[in-house]
Amino acid sequence: MPRYGLVWLEIAREHYASLPAPARERIDAWIEQLRENSRPQPCSGYDEATDQWTITYGGGAGLIVYAVVHEHQRLIILRLV
């Protein structure tokens, strides 16, 4: 399976930049996993109404909201909470 390209929305990128290094490292690890395998992860959730996925990091301390565009092989990071 080809590796998916990564797109960040500005608000997500700004939040990411403001986080401490350990949190960014955990986010990076999840994003790399998702780029390699965009299929749903066991701990991810899907909202059909918005066509968005969520996955937690840091033992539930944070949430990554993302979208997957299979036709263009893109992973879009929408928000970090």
Side-chain angles (χ1 to χ4, degrees):
M1 170 175 270
R3 183 174 165 88
Y4 276 45
L6 183 62
V7 177
W8 286 80
L9 293 190
E10 186 175 342
I11 193 166
R13 173 58 75 189
E14 289 172 358
H15 187 139
Y16 175 84
S18 73
L19 293 171
R24 289 193 313 264
E25 290 169 5
R26 289 189 292 264
I27 291 168
D28 291 344
W30 267 121
I31 288 174
E32 286 307 308
Q33 263 189 302
L34 293 168
R35 289 181 73 190
E36 291 296 328
N37 181 6
S38 65
R39 293 190 177 102
Q41 304 295 311
C43 55
S44 63
Y46 178 68
D47 181 356
E48 189 172 344
T50 61
D51 195 26
Q52 296 177 356
W53 291 90
T54 57
I55 197 162
T56 61
Y57 66 91
L63 184 72
I64 303 169
V65 181
Y66 64 99
V68 179
V69 182
H70 296 290
E71 297 81 20
H72 299 288
Q73 296 180 322
R74 294 289 181 263
L75 174 68
I76 304 169
I77 306 302
L78 303 169
R79 192 168 205 55
L80 301 174
V81 180

